Amino acid sequence: MKTLRKMWAAINRHMTLLRLLFVFSVLLYVIHEVGRDIQQISGQEVAETFSQQTPTSLLLMLVVGFIAVTPMLNYDFNIVKFLPGKFKKGYVIRSGWTVNTFTNIAGFGGLLGASLRANFYSKGATRKQILFAISKIALFLVTGLSLLCWIALFQIFVLHTGGVFARYWIWMVGGALYFPTVMLVTHFTDSEFFNDLTLKRQLSLMAGSSFEWLFCALFFIFIGALMGVKVDFAAVLPMFAVASVAGVVSMIPGGLGSFDTFMLTGLGFIGVGKADALVWLLFYRIFYYILPFLVGVLFFIQDTGSKINHAFEGLPMQLFQRIAHVFLTVFLWFSGVMIILVSTFPHLQEYNKVYGALYGYVVYFANQAINIIMGFLLIGLARGVNSRVKRAFWPTTVVLIMAALNTMWKDPSIKMSVFLVLVLAALWLSHKEFYREHFEYSWGAMLFDGISFVGIFVTYIIVGVYNTPNYQRMHHVPRAALFPTERVWLSGLIAIAIALVVLAIVYWYMHNGKSTIFKVPFDERRVAHVIDTYGGNEVSHLAYLRDKLLYFYTVDGEDKMFFMYQKKADRLIVMGEPVGDQQYRDAAIDNFMDVADKEGYSIVFYEIDEDLTMSLHEKGYDFFKFGEEGFVNLPSFSMQGKKRKSDRNLMSKFDRVGITFEELKPPFDADTLHELRVISDEWLDGQNESGFSLGFFDDYYLDQSSIYVMRSAEGKILAFTTNMPTHSGISSIDLMRYGKNAPSGTMDVMFIHLLQHNAEAGFEDFNMGMAPLSNVGVSRFSFIEERIAHLIYEYGYRFYGFQGLRNYKEKYVTSWHGKYIAYRRRNSLVFTMLQITMVVNAKRVTNKKEKRLLIFHAKN
């Protein structure tokens, strides 16, 4: 007895090794038997049997195969009842499908299934609870096979069906005994393990297992029926039971080989040919094991990816979506160009090996004319996809599906099928990238597309010239450029014209929308509320120019901040820092950026301070120093000392001739405004006024603040400057203009009076305004774009001398503060500067009727 216990202990210590030896020996036997059977099968017969299957039969096998797998989900719906966690039905279905299809392929004695279930259902459960739940399920996995064995025994020994398989009675009896054994153990064993294993749950597990094995057997028989095999299908069931028991006992993953060996042999006993039997088994493996397993792999990737994505805060999914989006964009553009090329050069595919190799990965359509139209359409959709426009998604989906079906109908191939599946998968994966409401054409994209389309048209015309009889008589024309007839070339030319119309419609469709969020004009009431409540800044008064659109940031229905901007192409050019409650600045900017991005716009911040520039840099902005803003410290300003001697002499001269300084308060009468306009017109001397960042002469604008004037002894206004309230303890001015009758030095005297007047009013600083492009882009080490931007801006302002302006202000300025332009990274600085220059130099409204309409709109 002691010796037996020692032997048993030794066996337990080496149980894993013994199991491996057993599996290995069974595997060797299976390989030997399968190899011997395959040698007897003709490859040609197998190929013929495969080819005889209709698409309808294969589709039915696919559908019924997936249905046959579904009873296994019962195990997972039961396992969650043993665990404390709460799981959604969709999650259980996906997880159960993954576990069971993986176990079918690679069971490893249930180890893989147990590991996967522990991974999927461990939420809120202890290790003991998980282990107990998995073990309870494992007890019932083959009870259905046990019942199948009872049915097989009944068929053979009672109904006398499939008697040829009576020799395998030991296998069937062994399998049949499992069911009553489980019932006895679960009902007569007093253990904590079986406490919650109620009769209802046992019956549910047994029913699930029974349906699993019964569906499995019936599906195998169904495949044979679809194949048209002439055999008594009732006799197949006992053999299926025997082969399944052998597969379970062998512990080889999926019973691979052991099940197949028994079935090949058994099917031969009832008159099925070796080739038919092999194809039958292959179809069974493909449609019951492999294809459901591939779906399980997708579910597993989704679940694992979701967990990884969650662990890394969503970055992996964003990366995959971006990659899919880039791939889709490139594919659409690439396909469009390749289609147009082959329509322009009919034999290019044969003539150019590189093109011929690449053309295998392009979708194509019915004929040359349609190919040209669809080629342009693909390029247009590529632009919409690249811009992430919502309206581009469904047209792209429809076009790609049409192209895929047409391509596979004309030239079916596994390589192209796989590639098109990848394309459609990229489309599906990148669908969340399509979030923008509108398509806005950037200058860079417009330039690129314009050159491309003009190049295509010119090339097509040149190819047409090549195909004229006169040219061909005089010159050698490459075969790649030859058209079958002139009619074909002409139809292509017409197709190009139609394609451009279609392209214009596509762009219009993607651009068109009902949004009015970036069409909000000047609203005096809202602007005044923000400035009066929270204060303004050095540019807030420019809102009253009414030449800019406004974006208000609201909290609980109250305006907290506003941005002033103008649209140019796909850019929103914002003037200065946002105005309003500064505690909301970052939130307001984020909100503005989100809304602008959704609408297809990129924001440019113009003339902003260093603090906001650094904040925007953290949000993905590049920046460019635009110039410097000068400030005079008023308490320290003095007219004493040698430095101010010339200024004192000038002031005395003006006092002697009776020229005085005066502040005029609004509202202004028509005569005063007329007098000021005459001076302004003389100063402009026919030149167009700038705006946006500078004031221009406008009756309504002038009426919003006081105006400082220099009057002659006779009371005539010689020069004026407009006050520019900042509501921030800093005084400033905007327009400074003088007439032809103003004596030399008038503006110097006015500046001195302004500084003295504001110092007496208690202001700390006086803002002298910008010295644009001061010391910017002048070094040979400066970035080339900065140097180009410097030239654009300097020559864009046709009547401003930047260096002279800097030198003039230098006489009074105490300190200079940098001002910057911030623009989205990867946006062109050159295009940005061109657009800013156009906005600033835009022609102002000078027609009096239009002015009256603007004033009426503003006041109402």
Side-chain angles (χ1 to χ4, degrees), residues 346-531:
H347 303 285
L348 184 61
Q349 191 175 351
E350 306 166 13
Y351 188 78
N352 189 295
K353 291 183 179 179
V354 174
Y355 184 91
L358 292 174
Y359 195 72
Y361 296 95
V362 175
V363 292
Y364 46 88
F365 298 86
N367 53 49
Q368 185 216 21
I370 295 178
N371 275 337
I372 289 176
I373 294 170
M374 298 306 289
F376 274 91
L377 182 59
L378 287 173
I379 292 173
L381 289 173
R383 184 61 66 193
V385 169
N386 184 56
S387 298
R388 299 177 170 87
V389 182
K390 280 183 182 178
R391 290 186 163 212
F393 180 75
W394 283 113
T396 302
T397 303
V398 171
V399 170
L400 280 180
I401 290 174
M402 286 171 55
L405 293 174
N406 184 75
T407 303
M408 294 312 301
W409 177 64
K410 282 191 166 186
D411 184 21
S413 68
I414 294 176
K415 178 185 74 172
M416 195 61 184
S417 299
V418 172
F419 181 72
L420 289 174
V421 167
L422 288 175
V423 171
L424 293 174
L427 178 65
W428 173 81
L429 189 60
S430 62
H431 74 280
K432 288 186 178 179
E433 292 285 303
F434 296 82
Y435 63 89
R436 289 193 175 122
E437 298 293 338
H438 308 287
F439 171 72
E440 295 294 336
Y441 229 146
S442 69
W443 280 11
M446 200 179 299
L447 179 65
F448 180 84
D449 288 352
I451 292 172
S452 299
F453 296 152
V454 170
I456 289 169
F457 180 75
V458 170
T459 303
Y460 197 83
I461 295 297
I462 293 172
V463 170
V465 173
Y466 282 174
N467 280 268
T468 58
N470 290 337
Y471 188 90
Q472 291 185 31
R473 280 197 299 268
M474 302 286 293
H475 304 85
H476 170 70
V477 179
R479 172 175 163 74
L482 288 175
F483 276 84
T485 64
E486 290 183 22
R487 177 181 288 183
V488 173
W489 178 86
L490 184 61
S491 68
L493 185 63
I494 295 171
I496 289 177
I498 295 171
L500 292 175
V501 173
V502 170
L503 201 59
I505 292 171
V506 168
Y507 287 150
W508 172 84
Y509 169 75
M510 292 191 297
H511 171 77
N512 194 34
K514 297 179 181 178
S515 175
T516 58
I517 197 164
F518 290 126
K519 297 178 182 177
V520 178
F522 174 73
D523 187 322
E524 182 179 6
R525 181 186 56 80
R526 297 179 73 179
V527 168
H529 167 75
V530 173
I531 293 176

Side-chain angles (χ1 to χ4, degrees), residues 770-772 794 797-808:
M770 285 289 298
E794 184 158 11
Y797 277 103
R798 291 180 294 277
F799 53 86
Y800 276 87
F802 293 127
Q803 292 300 322
L805 187 63
R806 166 84 184 205
N807 293 336
Y808 179 80

Side-chain angles (χ1 to χ4, degrees), residues 183-394:
M183 293 301 294
L184 289 171
V185 169
T186 55
H187 282 83
F188 296 102
T189 302
D190 185 16
S191 170
E192 177 192 354
F193 180 78
F194 297 112
N195 283 347
D196 57 353
L197 194 60
T198 62
L199 179 61
K200 183 180 178 180
R201 289 182 178 176
Q202 289 182 49
L203 292 175
S204 174
L205 287 167
M206 284 188 290
S209 180
S210 300
F211 279 115
E212 174 200 349
W213 289 99
L214 184 61
F215 275 38
C216 189
L218 292 176
F219 176 59
F220 186 84
I221 294 170
F222 179 73
I223 292 172
L226 286 177
M227 289 175 60
V229 179
K230 304 300 182 183
V231 70
D232 180 8
F233 289 110
V236 175
L237 188 64
M239 191 62 232
F240 186 88
V242 171
S244 297
V245 172
V248 171
V249 171
S250 71
M251 290 191 293
I252 297 173
L256 187 64
S258 53
F259 172 87
D260 306 272
T261 301
F262 271 82
M263 285 307 297
L264 280 171
T265 303
L267 291 172
F269 289 162
I270 56 176
V272 180
K274 292 283 186 181
D276 287 340
L278 182 60
V279 173
W280 193 345
L281 284 165
L282 285 173
F283 279 143
Y284 174 66
R285 288 293 183 184
I286 290 170
F287 291 106
Y288 187 79
Y289 286 87
I290 297 174
L291 294 180
F293 168 74
L294 293 177
V295 174
V297 169
L298 292 177
F299 286 151
F300 180 76
I301 292 172
Q302 182 189 21
D303 179 77
T304 306
S306 178
K307 290 177 180 176
I308 294 172
N309 190 55
H310 179 74
F312 288 93
E313 299 180 351
L315 287 176
M317 180 54 69
Q318 289 181 20
L319 180 61
F320 276 118
Q321 288 175 346
R322 293 285 170 85
I323 292 171
H325 176 255
V326 171
F327 169 74
L328 183 63
T329 303
V330 172
F331 171 76
L332 288 171
W333 187 87
F334 169 76
S335 288
V337 171
M338 296 287 272
I339 289 170
I340 293 170
L341 276 175
V342 82
S343 299
T344 305
F345 300 97
H347 303 285
L348 184 61
Q349 191 175 351
E350 306 166 13
Y351 188 78
N352 189 295
K353 291 183 179 179
V354 174
Y355 184 91
L358 292 174
Y359 195 72
Y361 296 95
V362 175
V363 292
Y364 46 88
F365 298 86
N367 53 49
Q368 185 216 21
I370 295 178
N371 275 337
I372 289 176
I373 294 170
M374 298 306 289
F376 274 91
L377 182 59
L378 287 173
I379 292 173
L381 289 173
R383 184 61 66 193
V385 169
N386 184 56
S387 298
R388 299 177 170 87
V389 182
K390 280 183 182 178
R391 290 186 163 212
F393 180 75
W394 283 113

Side-chain angles (χ1 to χ4, degrees), residues 526 529-530 534 551-562 581 583-589 591:
R526 297 179 73 179
H529 167 75
V530 173
Y534 304 108
Y551 180 82
F552 289 91
Y553 176 69
T554 60
V555 177
D556 297 327
E558 182 186 359
D559 294 329
K560 296 292 184 181
M561 301 197 87
F562 68 84
D581 191 344
Q583 68 172 317
Y584 292 102
R585 189 190 72 174
D586 286 342
I589 290 172
N591 173 260

Side-chain angles (χ1 to χ4, degrees), residues 672-680 697 702 707 709 717 720:
T672 301
L673 289 173
H674 175 72
E675 191 174 2
L676 295 175
R677 180 172 289 280
V678 170
I679 293 171
S680 178
F697 197 97
L702 267 62
I707 297 176
V709 300
I717 298 175
F720 73 91

Side-chain angles (χ1 to χ4, degrees), residues 721-794:
T721 183
T722 58
N723 183 31
M724 191 172 182
T726 64
H727 305 270
S728 59
I730 299 173
S731 59
S732 186
I733 57 171
D734 191 8
L735 278 72
M736 286 193 71
R737 299 187 177 176
Y738 56 88
K740 293 179 180 179
N741 296 324
S744 176
T746 298
M747 301 314 290
D748 290 293
V749 173
M750 178 173 277
F751 254 122
I752 294 169
H753 278 299
L754 284 169
L755 296 175
Q756 292 174 335
H757 175 81
N758 283 285
E760 291 171 4
F763 287 98
E764 284 291 318
D765 293 289
F766 182 85
N767 185 346
M768 292 285 289
M770 285 289 298
L773 299 175
S774 177
N775 300 319
V776 175
V778 294
S779 169
R780 68 186 182 92
F781 297 108
S782 298
F783 292 116
I784 187 67
E785 279 202 322
E786 290 183 348
R787 300 182 72 179
I788 294 172
H790 176 96
L791 293 174
I792 289 170
Y793 202 84
E794 184 158 11

Side-chain angles (χ1 to χ4, degrees), residues 142-143 145-150 153 168-182 241-242 245-246 248-249:
V142 293
T143 52
L145 176 59
S146 181
L147 291 172
L148 199 64
C149 288
W150 282 107
L153 289 169
Y168 297 115
W169 67 271
I170 189 68
W171 291 91
M172 287 180 273
V173 169
L177 289 175
Y178 183 81
F179 171 67
T181 303
V182 168
V242 171
V245 172
V248 171
V249 171

